[in-house]
Amino acid sequence: MTSIFPASVPDSQLGLSPSEIQILRQHQQIALQNQPYPHSSISTRGRGHARTSASTSRAASAASSGNNGRLVLDPGSLALLGQHFERLMAAIQNRVDQLTAQTQMSTIHQSSRAGAAMAAADAEIVRFHAIIRQIDELETEFDKVRHIRDIVKGFRARVEGLERKMDARHARR
Protein backbone atom coordinates (compact mmCIF):
# COMPACT_ATOMS: atom_id res chain seq x y z
CA MET A 1 0.00 0.00 0.00
CA THR A 2 1.52 3.34 -1.05
CA SER A 3 1.14 6.49 0.97
CA ILE A 4 0.08 9.81 -0.51
CA PHE A 5 2.94 11.41 1.48
CA PRO A 6 6.58 10.93 0.57
CA ALA A 7 8.51 8.81 3.10
CA SER A 8 10.91 11.68 3.78
CA VAL A 9 11.73 15.19 2.66
CA PRO A 10 15.17 16.84 2.33
CA ASP A 11 16.13 18.92 5.39
CA SER A 12 17.12 21.76 3.05
CA GLN A 13 13.48 22.22 1.97
CA LEU A 14 12.35 23.03 5.50
CA GLY A 15 13.65 26.62 5.47
CA LEU A 16 15.90 26.04 8.49
CA SER A 17 19.43 27.26 9.11
CA PRO A 18 22.21 24.67 9.26
CA SER A 19 22.29 24.84 13.07
CA GLU A 20 18.49 24.40 13.22
CA ILE A 21 18.73 21.42 10.87
CA GLN A 22 21.37 19.88 13.15
CA ILE A 23 19.10 20.38 16.17
CA LEU A 24 16.16 18.87 14.27
CA ARG A 25 18.20 15.80 13.32
CA GLN A 26 19.44 15.33 16.89
CA HIS A 27 15.97 15.58 18.32
CA GLN A 28 14.48 13.32 15.67
CA GLN A 29 16.98 10.64 16.68
CA ILE A 30 16.26 11.19 20.37
CA ALA A 31 12.49 11.07 19.81
CA LEU A 32 12.66 7.91 17.75
CA GLN A 33 15.13 6.15 20.06
CA ASN A 34 13.07 7.03 23.14
CA GLN A 35 9.78 5.98 21.58
CA PRO A 36 7.19 4.78 24.06
CA TYR A 37 5.95 1.24 24.27
CA PRO A 38 3.07 0.11 22.05
CA HIS A 39 0.51 1.54 24.48
CA SER A 40 1.52 5.08 23.60
CA SER A 41 -0.73 8.01 22.84
CA ILE A 42 -0.08 7.76 19.09
CA SER A 43 -3.30 7.32 17.19
CA THR A 44 -3.35 4.09 15.21
CA ARG A 45 -6.77 4.69 13.64
CA GLY A 46 -7.81 1.10 14.01
CA ARG A 47 -4.71 -0.36 12.35
CA GLY A 48 -3.34 -1.79 15.58
CA HIS A 49 -0.07 -1.06 17.29
CA ALA A 50 2.04 -3.39 15.18
CA ARG A 51 1.82 -1.26 12.06
CA THR A 52 2.73 1.97 13.91
CA SER A 53 5.47 0.22 15.80
CA ALA A 54 6.98 -1.26 12.63
CA SER A 55 6.77 2.07 10.81
CA THR A 56 8.31 3.87 13.74
CA SER A 57 11.05 1.26 14.04
CA ARG A 58 11.95 1.78 10.39
CA ALA A 59 11.96 5.54 10.98
CA ALA A 60 14.19 5.15 14.06
CA SER A 61 16.55 2.96 12.07
CA ALA A 62 16.66 5.49 9.23
CA ALA A 63 17.17 8.39 11.63
CA SER A 64 19.95 6.66 13.52
CA SER A 65 21.78 5.77 10.32
CA GLY A 66 22.14 9.42 9.35
CA ASN A 67 19.05 9.64 7.14
CA ASN A 68 21.07 11.36 4.39
CA GLY A 69 19.76 14.83 5.34
CA ARG A 70 16.10 13.93 5.14
CA LEU A 71 13.23 14.34 7.61
CA VAL A 72 11.14 11.18 7.99
CA LEU A 73 7.48 11.94 7.28
CA ASP A 74 5.61 8.82 8.37
CA PRO A 75 2.79 9.61 10.82
CA GLY A 76 4.31 7.61 13.69
CA SER A 77 7.71 9.27 13.58
CA LEU A 78 6.19 12.72 13.11
CA ALA A 79 3.88 12.10 16.09
CA LEU A 80 6.86 10.99 18.19
CA LEU A 81 8.85 14.02 17.07
CA GLY A 82 5.93 16.31 17.87
CA GLN A 83 5.48 14.76 21.32
CA HIS A 84 9.21 15.00 21.95
CA PHE A 85 9.22 18.70 21.08
CA GLU A 86 6.14 19.28 23.25
CA ARG A 87 7.93 17.64 26.21
CA LEU A 88 11.11 19.58 25.44
CA MET A 89 9.22 22.88 25.21
CA ALA A 90 7.37 22.08 28.45
CA ALA A 91 10.71 21.37 30.16
CA ILE A 92 12.16 24.61 28.80
CA GLN A 93 9.06 26.55 29.90
CA ASN A 94 9.28 24.93 33.34
CA ARG A 95 12.92 26.03 33.62
CA VAL A 96 12.02 29.54 32.44
CA ASP A 97 9.28 29.64 35.11
CA GLN A 98 11.76 28.49 37.76
CA LEU A 99 14.30 31.12 36.72
CA THR A 100 11.58 33.78 36.62
CA ALA A 101 10.52 32.86 40.17
CA GLN A 102 14.15 32.95 41.32
CA THR A 103 14.61 36.34 39.63
CA GLN A 104 11.48 37.68 41.33
CA MET A 105 12.67 36.40 44.72
CA SER A 106 16.08 37.94 44.16
CA THR A 107 14.48 41.24 43.14
CA ILE A 108 12.26 41.22 46.24
CA HIS A 109 15.27 40.41 48.43
CA GLN A 110 17.38 43.15 46.84
CA SER A 111 14.48 45.59 47.15
CA SER A 112 14.12 44.72 50.84
CA ARG A 113 17.84 45.16 51.37
CA ALA A 114 17.78 48.46 49.48
CA GLY A 115 14.78 49.60 51.53
CA ALA A 116 16.55 48.68 54.74
CA ALA A 117 19.69 50.46 53.58
CA MET A 118 17.65 53.55 52.70
CA ALA A 119 15.93 53.48 56.10
CA ALA A 120 19.31 53.16 57.81
CA ALA A 121 20.68 56.02 55.70
CA ASP A 122 17.65 58.17 56.56
CA ALA A 123 18.19 57.43 60.26
CA GLU A 124 21.87 58.38 59.96
CA ILE A 125 20.93 61.61 58.18
CA VAL A 126 18.53 62.48 61.02
CA ARG A 127 21.28 61.67 63.54
CA PHE A 128 23.78 63.75 61.56
CA HIS A 129 21.38 66.73 61.52
CA ALA A 130 20.91 66.39 65.30
CA ILE A 131 24.70 66.40 65.78
CA ILE A 132 25.07 69.47 63.57
CA ARG A 133 22.28 71.23 65.52
CA GLN A 134 24.07 70.40 68.80
CA ILE A 135 27.35 71.71 67.39
CA ASP A 136 25.61 74.92 66.31
CA GLU A 137 24.10 75.28 69.80
CA LEU A 138 27.49 74.70 71.41
CA GLU A 139 29.14 77.24 69.10
CA THR A 140 26.45 79.76 70.07
CA GLU A 141 27.06 79.00 73.75
CA PHE A 142 30.80 79.22 73.17
CA ASP A 143 30.38 82.66 71.57
CA LYS A 144 28.22 83.80 74.53
CA VAL A 145 30.76 82.49 77.07
CA ARG A 146 33.65 84.10 75.18
CA HIS A 147 31.77 87.40 75.13
CA ILE A 148 31.08 87.13 78.88
CA ARG A 149 34.75 86.18 79.46
CA ASP A 150 35.87 89.25 77.55
CA ILE A 151 33.52 91.42 79.64
CA VAL A 152 34.81 89.78 82.84
CA LYS A 153 38.41 90.37 81.69
CA GLY A 154 37.53 94.00 81.08
CA PHE A 155 35.93 94.35 84.53
CA ARG A 156 38.87 92.58 86.15
CA ALA A 157 41.30 94.89 84.38
CA ARG A 158 39.28 97.89 85.55
CA VAL A 159 39.05 96.52 89.09
CA GLU A 160 42.80 95.84 89.15
CA GLY A 161 43.40 99.34 87.82
CA LEU A 162 41.16 100.80 90.51
CA GLU A 163 42.93 98.69 93.17
CA ARG A 164 46.30 99.98 92.03
CA LYS A 165 45.02 103.55 92.17
CA MET A 166 43.64 102.98 95.66
CA ASP A 167 46.83 101.31 96.78
CA ALA A 168 48.79 104.21 95.37
CA ARG A 169 46.56 106.70 97.24
CA HIS A 170 46.91 104.79 100.49
CA ALA A 171 50.60 104.60 100.08
CA ARG A 172 50.86 108.40 99.67
CA ARG A 173 49.06 109.08 102.80
Side-chain angles (χ1 to χ4, degrees):
M1 176 177 197
T2 34
S3 172
I4 58 171
F5 298 106
S8 64
V9 64
D11 293 342
S12 59
Q13 289 185 354
L14 299 175
L16 302 173
S17 70
S19 64
E20 291 170 329
I21 290 172
Q22 182 180 6
I23 291 170
L24 175 63
R25 287 178 187 161
Q26 288 172 342
H27 286 283
Q28 184 180 30
Q29 284 181 335
I30 293 169
L32 294 175
Q33 289 171 354
N34 294 333
Q35 63 180 316
Y37 292 102
H39 299 291
S40 69
S41 61
I42 299 174
S43 171
T44 58
R45 290 195 250 188
R47 295 183 301 239
H49 295 290
R51 180 175 177 156
T52 304
S53 181
S55 170
T56 305
S57 295
R58 283 193 306 276
S61 175
S64 65
S65 66
N67 211 15
N68 297 325
R70 299 181 71 82
L71 175 64
V72 179
L73 291 180
D74 73 274
S77 64
L78 287 177
L80 286 173
L81 186 59
Q83 290 171 355
H84 171 73
F85 277 118
E86 288 298 324
R87 285 189 304 272
L88 182 61
M89 290 178 65
I92 291 170
Q93 184 61 50
N94 185 32
R95 184 65 180 143
V96 166
D97 292 345
Q98 289 173 350
L99 292 173
T100 299
Q102 289 175 2
T103 301
Q104 289 172 341
M105 290 303 295
S106 177
T107 301
I108 289 168
H109 181 70
Q110 288 293 71
S111 177
S112 295
R113 285 178 47 192
M118 288 174 53
D122 288 343
E124 286 301 312
I125 289 170
V126 168
R127 190 172 81 84
F128 180 73
H129 285 290
I131 291 170
I132 289 175
R133 187 181 67 250
Q134 289 174 0
I135 290 171
D136 288 343
E137 290 170 359
L138 288 174
E139 284 179 345
T140 301
E141 287 298 312
F142 185 79
D143 289 341
K144 288 177 185 178
V145 170
R146 182 179 23 206
H147 180 69
I148 293 170
R149 182 198 66 187
D150 291 343
I151 291 173
V152 168
K153 273 185 179 181
F155 280 132
R156 191 172 112 203
R158 287 162 91 191
V159 167
E160 286 176 357
L162 288 174
E163 278 184 352
R164 279 191 300 265
K165 281 184 186 179
M166 288 173 85
D167 285 342
R169 280 188 196 168
H170 280 325
R172 283 192 226 157
R173 284 192 199 174

